[in-house]
Amino acid sequence: EAGVTQFPSHSVIEKGQTVTLRCDPISGHDNLYWYRRVMGKEIKFLLHFVKESKQDESGMPNNRFLAERTGGTYSTLKVQPAELEDSGVYFCASSPVTGVSLNTEAFFGQGTRLTVV
Amino acid sequence: QKEVEQDPGPLSVPEGAIVSLNCTYSNSAFQYFMWYRQYSRKGPELLMYTYSSGNKEDGRFTAQVDKSSKYISLFIRDSQPSDSATYLCASSYSSASKIIFGSGTRLSIRP
């Protein structure tokens, strides 16, 4: 069974450009999460989808970040325009809709390393 | 103040040693406590989780939570070079809420 897949694995863009990250969750997982780790800091929550609906977007840093999950399958995270402080590793995770503990059944992707220069 | 505090290390021990990794947290509302292992260029992988206080054992790994002191621990017995990784402690309020991570401790097991 395929795990959580993220594209691209690494992206280098100039300040002011737009970048779109993609996450393909494990098939059948309705919960999809985005997290990021900026240099020297801990991994921080960005937002949580249940199917195509945003359940919690309290961690989104500002309106330059737009997350979508059309059709409740894969998700994209667009940064427009990118700033230097957006550099870091962006992780996606997914978990099934049922279970004793949803977030402890969350599987993480390998991450997308974003570098803004 | 960070909600979950973790010593970043690095920590280096000889093969076969017992490793003790620790975290503290500030929010008494946390109910779930997790330990993740992360290899270089990979995503976090859940090792163990505990609901509320108590101990949980899985093979060479033991997780402990003391809610009275807000202390989270992970013990690794008979450590192996393959255990070399970054270990992240984490907490959450409920089964479906966001995960709050510590900064991670880099562990190296010397052969």
Side-chain angles (χ1 to χ4, degrees):
Chain A
E1 179 184 318
V4 177
T5 308
Q6 293 186 243
F7 304 96
S9 57
H10 192 186
S11 179
V12 181
I13 62 171
E14 293 184 351
K15 176 183 172 181
Q17 288 186 323
T18 297
V19 63
T20 300
L21 313 180
R22 172 170 168 149
C23 170
D24 286 59
I26 292 173
S27 178
H29 281 193
D30 286 351
N31 291 282
L32 188 148
Y33 312 83
W34 283 98
Y35 289 81
R36 76 170 178 177
R37 182 172 193 156
V38 296
M39 184 68 71
K41 301 286 188 180
E42 64 274 16
I43 298 173
K44 284 194 172 180
F45 169 82
L46 294 178
L47 88 160
H48 171 202
F49 282 100
V50 178
K51 294 186 180 180
E52 66 274 10
S53 299
K54 292 177 183 175
Q55 185 77 12
D56 179 358
E57 52 184 328
S58 61
M60 294 290 265
N62 52 61
N63 58 11
R64 295 185 295 103
F65 290 76
L66 175 64
E68 294 181 322
R69 194 183 182 195
T70 306
T73 55
Y74 71 92
S75 174
T76 58
L77 179 64
K78 182 161 71 174
V79 185
Q80 179 183 29
E83 298 290 344
L84 298 178
E85 64 265 25
D86 300 333
S87 295
V89 183
Y90 289 75
F91 293 103
C92 174
S94 72
S95 69
V97 66
T98 58
V100 173
S101 178
L102 300 180
N103 60 23
T104 60
E105 294 178 42
F107 294 88
F108 282 78
Q110 83 283 5
T112 293
R113 185 173 298 271
L114 175 64
T115 304
V116 183
V117 297
Chain B
Q1 181 188 12
K2 292 181 182 178
E3 292 189 272
V4 178
E5 295 270 7
Q6 184 173 10
D7 186 338
L11 179 63
S12 179
V13 301
E15 182 176 357
I18 295 175
V19 176
S20 173
L21 302 171
N22 306 292
C23 292
T24 59
Y25 65 93
S26 58
N27 195 326
S28 58
F30 286 148
Q31 293 291 327
Y32 290 87
F33 304 91
M34 290 81 80
W35 282 96
Y36 289 84
R37 178 175 60 196
Q38 185 177 18
Y39 293 112
S40 181
R41 305 287 178 170
K42 299 291 186 182
E45 170 195 15
L46 181 68
L47 266 179
M48 303 177 68
Y49 77 91
T50 307
Y51 173 71
S52 193
S53 276
N55 295 357
K56 192 170 187 178
E57 187 173 322
D58 183 3
R60 297 184 294 109
F61 298 87
T62 299
Q64 288 184 352
V65 176
D66 183 345
K67 294 195 79 176
S68 63
S69 61
K70 297 189 178 69
Y71 207 75
I72 312 166
S73 301
L74 178 71
F75 299 95
I76 307 174
R77 293 182 299 280
D78 187 25
S79 56
Q80 305 293 312
S82 58
D83 295 330
S84 298
T86 295
Y87 288 79
L88 305 155
C89 61
S91 301
S92 67
Y93 300 102
S94 71
S95 64
S97 64
K98 63 185 178 183
I99 300 170
I100 297 164
F101 286 91
S103 56
T105 298
R106 185 179 296 179
L107 173 66
S108 176
I109 308 298
R110 306 188 302 271

